[in-house]
Amino acid sequence: HKVEKLNKLASALYIAAHPDDENTRLITYLSNHEHAETSYLSLTRGNGGQNLISNELDDVLGIIRTEELLNARKIDGGKQYFSTANDFGFSKRPNEAFNKWQKNKILEQVVYTIRKTQPDIIVNRFDHRTEGNTHGHHTASAQLSTLAFNDALNVNKFPNQLEKLETFQPKRLFFN
């Protein structure tokens, strides 16, 4: 499998808000069938979610969900990344998330991940145009990804990153 991956130069970055938002089937397909370098960027660690099977909540729940994602990537062959966005519970609109997350700070982290992984394609789990139809974190993750898609190539956006990384433009942006 690792030798076959050497013959493929494709790469993909999947972006969503929470640890349970990723499409594991797609990550598995891209990584194992297409032999693409595949990564998942979860903006939060899931510490603000519900827990119906045990008593862990808040930071302890975030640790459990972080470990779940790291172990999932061992199985599906992807790489795992996180931002520092806090999962503060349910929000109706992306602006609620942006206010708590410090939008520019998280955008900078998404741009950094794009510049670091240099994906050919980015796949958003959620639609950036559906404000109010889903959890505000979900829409916010897609809106940040859409902004970062172009910002990763812009030398004026987060120039401090360019000491270690190069600007980069993915070829396509998809909604899954």
Side-chain angles (χ1 to χ4, degrees), residues 122-154:
I122 293 176
V123 181
N124 286 331
R125 171 63 181 93
F126 300 100
D127 189 340
H128 68 282
R129 301 162 296 188
T130 58
E131 186 169 326
N133 291 347
T134 184
H135 192 314
H137 293 172
H138 295 162
T139 307
S141 71
Q143 289 178 353
L144 287 168
S145 175
T146 302
L147 289 170
F149 179 81
N150 292 317
D151 286 352
L153 185 62
N154 186 342

Side-chain angles (χ1 to χ4, degrees), residues 31-33 45 49 67 70 90 92 99 102 108 139 141 159:
S31 181
N32 296 304
H33 181 75
R45 292 178 183 262
E67 287 299 316
L70 294 172
F90 190 78
K92 291 289 275 177
N99 290 336
Q102 300 175 11
E108 181 175 7
T139 307
S141 71

Side-chain angles (χ1 to χ4, degrees), residues 11-22:
S11 59
L13 176 62
Y14 197 92
I15 299 176
H18 306 108
D20 59 351
D21 291 339
E22 86 273 26

Side-chain angles (χ1 to χ4, degrees), residues 4-5 16 91 101 114 119 126 129 136 153 159:
E4 288 176 352
K5 273 194 158 191
S91 63
W101 289 351
I114 293 169
F126 300 100
R129 301 162 296 188
L153 185 62

Side-chain angles (χ1 to χ4, degrees), residues 3-169:
V3 171
E4 288 176 352
K5 273 194 158 191
L6 291 174
N7 292 324
K8 268 291 170 99
L9 298 176
S11 59
L13 176 62
Y14 197 92
I15 299 176
H18 306 108
D20 59 351
D21 291 339
E22 86 273 26
N23 181 335
T24 305
R25 285 182 175 182
L26 181 59
I27 293 171
T28 300
Y29 174 80
L30 291 171
S31 181
N32 296 304
H33 181 75
E34 293 298 324
H35 305 294
E37 283 294 321
T38 307
S39 302
Y40 175 44
L41 172 60
S42 177
L43 295 188
T44 73
R45 292 178 183 262
N47 56 305
Q50 297 177 352
N51 187 351
L52 301 177
I53 61 173
S54 67
N55 294 327
E56 290 86 358
L57 293 172
D58 302 318
D59 290 342
V60 176
L61 182 58
I63 291 168
I64 291 169
R65 291 192 170 150
T66 296
E67 287 299 316
E68 288 173 348
L69 278 186
L70 294 172
N71 285 315
R73 299 299 79 80
K74 290 177 187 174
I75 294 168
D76 63 29
K79 293 180 182 174
Q80 183 63 53
Y81 294 91
F82 296 95
S83 84
T84 60
N86 183 36
D87 185 356
F88 58 85
F90 190 78
S91 63
K92 291 289 275 177
R93 305 262 179 224
N95 281 345
E96 293 175 74
F98 293 147
N99 290 336
K100 296 225 183 211
W101 289 351
Q102 300 175 11
K103 180 181 179 179
N104 203 51
K105 177 181 174 184
I106 304 305
L107 175 61
E108 181 175 7
Q109 294 171 20
V110 177
V111 167
Y112 179 88
T113 305
I114 293 169
R115 288 174 174 171
K116 179 178 180 169
T117 60
Q118 297 190 347
D120 295 311
I121 63 167
I122 293 176
V123 181
N124 286 331
R125 171 63 181 93
F126 300 100
D127 189 340
H128 68 282
R129 301 162 296 188
T130 58
E131 186 169 326
N133 291 347
T134 184
H135 192 314
H137 293 172
H138 295 162
T139 307
S141 71
Q143 289 178 353
L144 287 168
S145 175
T146 302
L147 289 170
F149 179 81
N150 292 317
D151 286 352
L153 185 62
N154 186 342
V155 295
N156 296 314
K157 283 290 192 170
F158 316 113
N160 58 317
Q161 295 178 358
L162 301 178
E163 294 171 14
K164 295 182 180 179
L165 302 170
E166 296 179 4
T167 60
F168 184 77
Q169 179 67 64

